[in-house]
Amino acid sequence: MNKIMIFIYCICLFLMVGCEKWKETVSQNDTKLKVPPAFVALADGDRKLIFLDKKMNIVKEIENKNKFQSFSIEGNRVYAIDDGTYTGTQSSMLIINLSSGHVEKKLKLPHVPSSYAVLNQKIYMASSEIFREGMPFFVVNVSSGKVEKLTFTSGMVSTIKHYKNEIFITINSGGKSSEHSNVYRIQMHDASLSFHPVIKDNIELPPSDFVIEDNKMYCVFTGFSYGPRPGWVKNPERYTNKLMVVDLNNGKIISEKQLSKPFPQKIINIGNKLYLTFRTLTR
C-alpha cells in the first residue's frame, strides 16, 4: 500500500471548517459525502487527492494525470495546484467542494505557481519563473478565472498568508539586493499592487515561515542549519534556527529566541499555542 503523506493542514481541518460549514449548499447535480471528511491528503505519488474520515477510511478520491503540487483549505473549499510540469501542460488550480468532493472549477494559470493564498474570492499567487522584470506575482478572480493584476517581485516569494483581510508575503532578494528581503504587506489599488515592508529593523533574510496572531508576527528562520553559508550574509547565526516575534503595529522586533532543534520549517497556531515542524536529515 502506498504511503500516504498527510499535510499539516489536516491537523487543524475541523478547526478551520467548523460544523456550520457543512450547512453550505452544494450544486443541485451533486450530493454531500455520506461521511464528512476529517482529513485531506495526497497519495499515490501525489497523483491523488483523497478525503478521509476520522477512522482514516477513504471517502473520496480525485485523480490527476499530473501530480498535485500542493493544496490548501479555505472555508468549505480545497484549492489544489496542478503545476503541469509532469506532463508539460499548462498550470491550473482545481477548486473542490469539501462537503461533496466535487470539482467545481478548474482555473488555468498564466505562470507556474510557487505559493499562494485565497482571500475574499481572489487568489494571490507567486511564481518561480524568472523574467527581466523579476518574478511574477498575480491576482486571479475565482469567479471569472481572469487575472486581475500582474506585477513582478525582486526575489523569490516562498510564503503567502492572510490576516484580517490583508495579504502578507516573504520576498528573498538575496545577494546584493538582500536589503529588500523582508515580509511585505500588500495593498490593493485600482490598477496596481504595492508592497510595504513589515519588519523595520534591518534583516538580511526573510523568515522561512510565519503566523500572525493578536497583531504579532511569529517568524521562524531555517537559515543555515546544514550546508554552506553565502558570503553576502554578514550575520548568518541570526537567521539560523531562530524564532522572532515582531510587533505588527510598528514593525519592531520584540524578541529573538534560539530554538533547541535545527532546521525549523513550518509554524502554525492552534488556539493559544504555536506548533513548529522540523526537518531531520539522516546520513
Side-chain angles (χ1 to χ4, degrees):
M1 180 177 181
N2 292 324
K3 184 179 178 181
I4 298 174
M5 182 176 69
I6 299 180
F7 283 77
I8 200 164
Y9 303 109
C10 306
I11 300 174
C12 53
L13 176 58
F14 275 118
L15 294 173
M16 292 189 296
V17 176
C19 297
E20 290 299 318
K21 295 295 182 181
W22 302 113
K23 297 181 181 180
E24 290 189 20
T25 304
V26 297
S27 169
Q28 291 181 353
N29 297 323
D30 197 26
T31 56
K32 291 184 178 181
L33 297 171
K34 292 182 179 179
V35 179
F39 305 98
V40 180
L42 292 177
D44 193 18
D46 296 345
R47 292 182 179 86
K48 290 182 179 179
L49 189 70
I50 59 174
F51 294 6
L52 304 100
D53 62 17
K54 291 182 178 180
K55 297 182 179 180
M56 302 302 290
N57 298 311
I58 296 175
V59 296
K60 179 71 177 183
E61 290 186 5
I62 299 172
E63 295 190 28
N64 186 21
K65 292 181 180 179
N66 282 311
K67 293 183 178 182
F68 286 109
Q69 175 184 323
S70 61
F71 70 90
S72 65
I73 300 169
E74 293 290 339
N76 197 39
R77 301 291 182 273
V78 179
Y79 297 83
I81 290 291
D82 171 0
D83 65 13
T85 56
Y86 187 68
T87 58
T89 56
Q90 185 177 354
S91 301
S92 61
M93 170 178 276
L94 277 66
I95 302 176
I96 305 159
N97 188 295
L98 192 57
S99 300
S100 64
H102 172 63
V103 178
E104 298 179 336
K105 287 185 179 181
K106 185 175 182 180
L107 305 180
K108 296 294 184 181
L109 304 174
H111 300 283
V112 177
S114 60
S115 54
Y116 65 95
V118 182
L119 176 65
N120 297 331
Q121 291 296 297
K122 295 182 188 295
I123 305 166
Y124 297 81
M125 186 168 289
S127 173
S128 57
E129 296 178 18
I130 302 175
F131 294 85
R132 180 176 298 177
E133 301 92 335
M135 295 184 171
F137 185 90
F138 51 98
V139 182
V140 179
N141 186 298
V142 172
S143 299
S144 65
K146 295 181 178 180
V147 176
E148 292 187 343
K149 292 179 174 63
L150 171 64
T151 187
F152 295 87
T153 61
S154 60
M156 182 71 178
V157 176
S158 58
T159 305
I160 307 177
K161 295 188 177 182
H162 60 80
Y163 176 72
K164 290 185 177 180
N165 288 319
E166 288 188 303
I167 293 291
F168 296 83
I169 69 173
T170 60
I171 297 180
N172 187 351
S173 298
K176 295 180 180 179
S177 301
S178 61
E179 70 271 12
H180 300 300
S181 296
N182 209 314
V183 181
Y184 286 83
R185 175 190 274 112
I186 297 179
Q187 290 189 352
M188 299 282 292
H189 302 284
D190 292 338
S192 64
L193 300 168
S194 62
F195 300 81
H196 303 271
V198 172
I199 304 175
K200 302 304 180 183
D201 298 64
N202 183 39
I203 60 172
E204 300 175 272
L205 286 174
S208 306
D209 196 19
F210 65 88
V211 295
I212 305 174
E213 185 67 29
D214 295 330
N215 287 316
K216 291 184 177 64
M217 179 177 288
Y218 299 86
C219 308
V220 290
F221 291 81
T222 302
F224 310 100
S225 301
Y226 306 101
R229 303 182 178 190
W232 53 266
V233 179
K234 298 178 181 178
N235 187 9
E237 287 75 17
R238 188 185 185 192
Y239 315 104
T240 302
N241 308 326
K242 284 291 183 68
L243 174 66
M244 181 183 292
V245 184
V246 179
D247 189 328
L248 202 61
N249 296 312
N250 55 31
K252 293 184 178 180
I253 297 174
I254 300 173
S255 65
E256 298 180 54
K257 180 180 180 181
Q258 185 74 34
L259 298 172
S260 59
K261 294 183 179 180
F263 223 119
Q265 288 189 301
K266 294 293 181 182
I267 181 171
I268 64 170
N269 58 311
I270 301 178
N272 61 350
K273 294 184 179 180
L274 298 174
Y275 295 85
L276 283 74
T277 61
F278 295 81
R279 181 181 178 186
T280 302
L281 296 183
T282 55
R283 298 178 180 178

